[in-house]
Amino acid sequence: MAASEQRKKSVWSSLETVIGFDLRSLGLFRICLAFVVLADLIIRMAGITAHYSDQGIVPRSVLAKIGSSPFYWSFSNLSGEPWVQFILFLLAIVITLFLLVGYRTRLATIATWAMIISIHNRNPVVLFAADDVLRAILFWSMFLPLGATYSIDSALNTSPNLLPKRVWSGATFAFMVQVAFIYMWSAAFKTKSDLWWPDGTAVYYALSFDQYATPLGQLLLKLPQNLLKLMTYGALSFEWVGPLLMFIPIRNSFFRCVAILSFIFLHLTFGLAFRIGIFPFLSITHWLPLIPSEVWDGLNKRLSTPERKGLVINYDADCGFCKKVVYLLRTFLILPGTPLIKAQENPDPTVYEDMQRINSWVVEDWQGQRHFKWEAIAYICSLSPVFGFLAPLLRWKPLMSIGNKFYEKIASNRRFAGNFTKPFKFRPLEVRSSPPIALSLVALLLLAYTSVWNLRGFIKQSVARKDAEGVWVEQLDKLLSKKTFNILDPLARVTRLDQAWSIFAPNPPRDDGWYIAEATLKDGSKVDLFRNGNSVSWDKPTMSERDQLYPNMQWRSYFISLYRATGKPLYPYLGDYFYRQWNQKHPPSKQIENLTIYFMDERTAPPNQKQTVTKKEIWTQSGSVN
């Protein structure tokens, strides 16, 4: 009986090791994820009118024409006015800031996920691979205790129960599998293309795609073809094998670190070689929850200096504002374990006397010296492993003078200052190492559904492209096409678990080129609206000119889609957008009389073959059509 119990305990321990997440890793992940979302929202805000209003390139009326599912819900569809979209973006930013600081973290995560889905569903034409990753990662994040560390929730935790170091559940397993899916399903789709295997020319074609080109990418394109082939085979193999490293039960921490560092290097390389927006940063971020406990424990050991261990903060017990501030400082300056003592209860009565005499909190260092007011803030900050670099700035004499006046103002108006911290309540935060079975079961069922969705997409594309032969493929396609599975489609659309991992898959894009928007004005002159009204030039744009044409990934994605089947219904709205934008800024003699959009088709040629350019007229318009 004892041996059986021992084996059972060993199995559970191994399972916890393989699929467990350290709470500190989850806290770091939450902060980095929030920063990525904030960056994405701020970038998108520059295109509120163009991308999210009815005055832009994709009004709400065109969504059905481009295949947008009726189950793709969006708050942004409530109005086509730019000011409404602006308010919704501001709301999304505020919610993401709550996620960043870990305030009501679970609700903030759910709300962030909902706002991102809403924005994505409003205009699917400006989406790209990073958006698919972001939706998936935010979805599984809702099941994880992201607010257990480095957060307002953890700083103001009143629970007497100690938080565990690690958590493991069906949700942590689902998150890991989702990360693996991003790479392994992409690799599976790539195996359908001869460019990846056996030709090995996929990296050549990817680097040749001017829409994503960077100076480093162009430099890499000049490498010998055999080396580019080796890079192709290496990238494909690593997408298959790399994610599996995190599931190895033996020396799991070591293999996790190998996987994390390898994929960070991979995505940094992608970010330098291709213009792909937030994708590299987001892809690095979703590996952070896997940082092993041993890494954090090692850092804590190195950071456990006498100076940090000897820090004591005394605050006024009668000041609720003061209490919250010191608890928040201890958390966000990463000084765990620092004693926070009510000055009135300090065994040394001179501490309370100093507090009353100087009207300041009392910070004691490891040598027993006392620090007050703004200088105390600078001292505490100097001990922070993250924000210590700010200490010299905080001690700069002009800032020190301003800081002391600011501190004195707050100290004399504590009741008023308390209004800023009033929303932040002390409340218990309960986290169990193994969450409720029901929550894990829900996560595992949704993971199974996501797995079936990915498999069905792979099989359907294989059948459509005739990439796979065999009775089993046809039978599996029939099985997955049955009503039993199709009836669940709305769930995938509503939650946006309708995943497709297709960046550079099955093939890197080869339909390269650039646009010319030739406008004939009422005075007979001709200008190119893509180039700020300069004279029409048919020459290939330089990299800097292309960056002006496509200021962010949303515009790049839109113009890539525009030349494909999805973009055909969009030309009238692009034409109207050009008319409005130009005519509002120019006198009657310079108004647009007619507009012709050309695409200079520069389909990427095979290695060592000459590129050709074909001029194609794709849209003509006289006056606004909508």
Side-chain angles (χ1 to χ4, degrees):
M1 189 71 175
S4 175
E5 288 294 327
Q6 188 67 29
R7 283 195 299 270
K8 183 178 179 181
K9 185 177 180 181
S10 178
V11 170
W12 286 114
S13 177
S14 299
L15 190 60
E16 178 186 0
T17 298
V18 173
I19 67 172
F21 289 169
D22 192 289
L23 291 182
R24 293 162 291 186
S25 301
L26 288 175
L28 176 63
F29 164 71
R30 185 200 78 244
I31 292 168
C32 293
L33 179 63
F35 274 124
V36 170
V37 174
L38 285 171
D40 185 52
L41 290 171
I42 292 169
I43 291 170
R44 289 178 186 273
M45 284 188 75
I48 280 182
T49 299
H51 295 158
Y52 301 103
S53 78
D54 286 347
Q55 301 171 25
I57 54 180
V58 185
R60 291 171 296 164
S61 59
V62 78
L63 291 175
K65 299 178 184 178
I66 58 176
S68 181
S69 170
F71 295 103
Y72 284 173
W73 56 273
S74 175
F75 303 127
S76 301
N77 284 337
L78 297 174
S79 173
E81 293 296 326
W83 67 269
V84 175
Q85 305 305 318
F86 182 76
I87 290 175
L88 289 172
F89 266 87
L90 284 182
L91 177 61
I93 288 174
V94 170
I95 290 171
T96 308
L97 287 173
F98 287 156
L99 177 64
L100 175 66
V101 299
Y103 175 63
R104 297 294 183 100
T105 310
R106 181 87 67 180
L107 289 176
T109 308
I110 295 170
T112 301
W113 167 77
M115 294 304 295
I116 289 298
I117 285 184
S118 175
I119 291 170
H120 288 182
N121 288 346
R122 171 58 185 88
N123 189 350
V125 185
V126 299
L127 303 181
F128 71 113
D131 299 310
D132 296 332
V133 175
L134 181 58
R135 291 194 304 272
I137 295 304
L138 279 171
F139 180 84
W140 298 111
S141 296
M142 295 188 294
F143 294 87
L144 301 174
L146 301 187
T149 53
Y150 314 138
S151 64
I152 291 177
D153 291 345
S154 64
L156 304 183
N157 176 24
T158 59
S159 173
N161 301 320
L162 292 176
L163 296 179
K165 181 187 290 187
R166 293 164 57 84
V167 293
W168 65 282
S169 65
T172 59
F173 176 69
F175 188 98
M176 294 173 68
V177 173
Q178 178 66 82
V179 171
F181 277 178
I182 293 170
Y183 302 97
M184 299 181 74
W185 279 115
S186 176
F189 280 102
K190 287 169 182 172
T191 57
K192 299 180 182 182
S193 170
D194 291 341
L195 299 185
W196 286 95
W197 181 270
D199 292 355
T201 54
V203 168
Y204 159 78
Y205 282 105
L207 293 171
S208 299
F209 192 56
D210 290 328
Q211 311 291 3
Y212 293 162
T214 67
L216 178 61
Q218 290 186 333
L219 184 63
L220 293 174
L221 187 59
K222 297 178 182 178
L223 293 174
Q225 285 300 316
N226 287 337
L227 186 54
L228 292 178
K229 284 187 177 183
L230 185 62
M231 293 168 65
T232 300
Y233 300 145
L236 182 60
S237 301
F238 190 66
E239 284 193 332
W240 276 117
V241 178
L244 298 178
L245 293 174
M246 58 181 163
F247 295 103
I248 297 176
I250 301 172
R251 299 192 66 190
N252 180 261
S253 295
F254 170 77
F255 285 109
R256 275 195 183 193
C257 288
V258 170
I260 292 167
L261 293 175
S262 299
F263 278 102
I264 286 176
F265 175 77
L266 178 71
H267 289 296
L268 287 175
T269 303
F270 284 166
L272 293 172
F274 302 102
R275 283 180 170 82
I276 44 179
I278 65 168
F279 187 62
F281 308 101
L282 176 61
S283 298
I284 290 172
T285 296
H286 66 57
W287 282 97
L288 298 180
L290 284 106
I291 297 176
S293 297
E294 289 81 353
V295 173
W296 292 106
D297 293 342
L299 283 173
N300 283 343
K301 189 174 181 180
R302 291 176 62 89
L303 294 173
S304 184
T305 62
E307 291 84 357
R308 294 190 178 98
K309 288 164 56 174
L311 176 66
V312 177
I313 300 176
N314 300 276
Y315 66 93
D316 185 357
D318 299 326
C319 174
F321 167 77
C322 304
K323 182 178 180 180
K324 289 179 181 178
V325 167
V326 296
Y327 274 81
L328 291 170
L329 279 175
R330 180 175 68 176
T331 295
F332 286 106
L333 292 181
I334 324 281
L335 296 168
T338 297
L340 304 178
I341 300 175
K342 297 175 182 177
Q344 291 88 332
E345 298 177 3
N346 194 303
D348 184 349
T350 63
V351 170
Y352 182 53
E353 291 171 4
D354 282 349
M355 187 191 77
Q356 288 186 308
R357 178 173 55 84
I358 304 176
N359 192 23
S360 168
W361 62 342
V362 182
V363 173
E364 298 177 277
D365 63 25
W366 67 300
Q367 294 176 323
Q369 296 180 356
R370 294 175 183 176
H371 306 262
F372 307 96
K373 298 184 179 179
W374 186 263
E375 197 279 329
I377 294 176
Y379 176 71
I380 295 175
C381 190
S382 72
L383 300 179
S384 171
V386 176
F387 299 102
F389 70 95
L390 293 175
L393 176 63
L394 296 176
R395 286 173 171 150
W396 184 43
K397 285 187 177 180
L399 188 57
M400 183 70 74
S401 176
I402 296 172
N404 278 325
K405 291 179 180 178
F406 174 75
Y407 183 93
E408 291 165 2
K409 193 75 173 177
I410 294 295
S412 301
N413 297 275
R414 295 176 183 179
R415 182 172 296 180
F416 174 77
N419 292 323
F420 294 98
T421 58
K422 188 177 293 184
F424 308 132
K425 306 292 185 183
F426 282 96
R427 57 171 57 88
L429 173 65
E430 299 290 348
V431 177
R432 296 195 297 179
S433 59
S434 180
I437 294 177
L439 190 63
S440 290
L441 184 60
V442 170
L444 291 174
L445 287 173
L446 288 169
L447 175 63
Y449 178 65
T450 304
S451 303
V452 171
W453 182 275
N454 279 283
L455 176 62
R456 187 171 69 167
F458 178 76
I459 293 297
K460 281 186 175 297
Q461 190 177 103
S462 298
V463 171
R465 290 168 52 95
K466 300 180 180 179
D467 290 326
E469 297 179 359
V471 177
W472 73 272
V473 176
E474 296 178 1
Q475 290 179 342
L476 190 56
D477 180 50
K478 289 179 181 178
L479 174 65
L480 296 175
S481 299
K482 285 186 176 181
K483 189 176 181 180
T484 306
F485 291 101
N486 290 335
I487 202 171
L488 293 175
D489 275 9
L491 174 62
R493 308 297 183 184
V494 169
T495 60
R496 290 312 310 265
L497 287 173
D498 49 344
Q499 303 175 357
W501 308 113
S502 57
I503 185 167
F504 296 142
N507 298 305
R510 286 176 284 180
D511 51 346
D512 216 343
W514 65 96
Y515 289 91
I516 304 292
E518 185 183 58
T520 302
L521 307 183
K522 297 212 180 268
D523 63 2
S525 59
K526 293 186 177 183
V527 297
D528 184 356
L529 301 183
F530 276 118
R531 289 159 182 79
N532 299 318
N534 293 326
S535 58
V536 177
S537 171
W538 305 98
D539 295 335
K540 182 176 180 176
T542 64
M543 189 175 293
S544 60
E545 290 172 337
R546 198 181 292 269
D547 289 342
Q548 291 178 357
L549 290 172
Y550 315 124
N552 54 45
M553 273 307 300
Q554 285 70 45
W555 279 111
R556 289 178 190 271
S557 300
Y558 170 77
F559 283 114
I560 290 171
S561 300
L562 194 65
Y563 189 56
R564 297 171 182 171
T566 308
K568 290 182 179 179
L570 299 174
Y571 286 112
Y573 305 98
L574 176 61
D576 280 0
Y577 179 74
F578 275 140
Y579 268 85
R580 282 193 298 269
Q581 293 295 306
W582 179 270
N583 288 345
Q584 287 173 4
K585 300 175 184 176
H586 294 84
S589 63
K590 290 290 185 179
Q591 301 281 293
I592 300 174
E593 189 155 276
N594 57 67
L595 170 67
T596 304
I597 299 177
Y598 299 90
F599 186 70
M600 307 300 289
D601 191 345
E602 188 187 34
R603 182 163 287 270
T604 306
N608 303 317
Q609 293 188 23
K610 187 178 180 180
Q611 299 277 107
T612 59
V613 179
T614 304
K615 177 182 175 182
K616 294 183 177 180
E617 181 180 316
I618 54 178
W619 181 253
T620 301
Q621 182 172 330
S622 297
S624 179
V625 297
N626 292 288

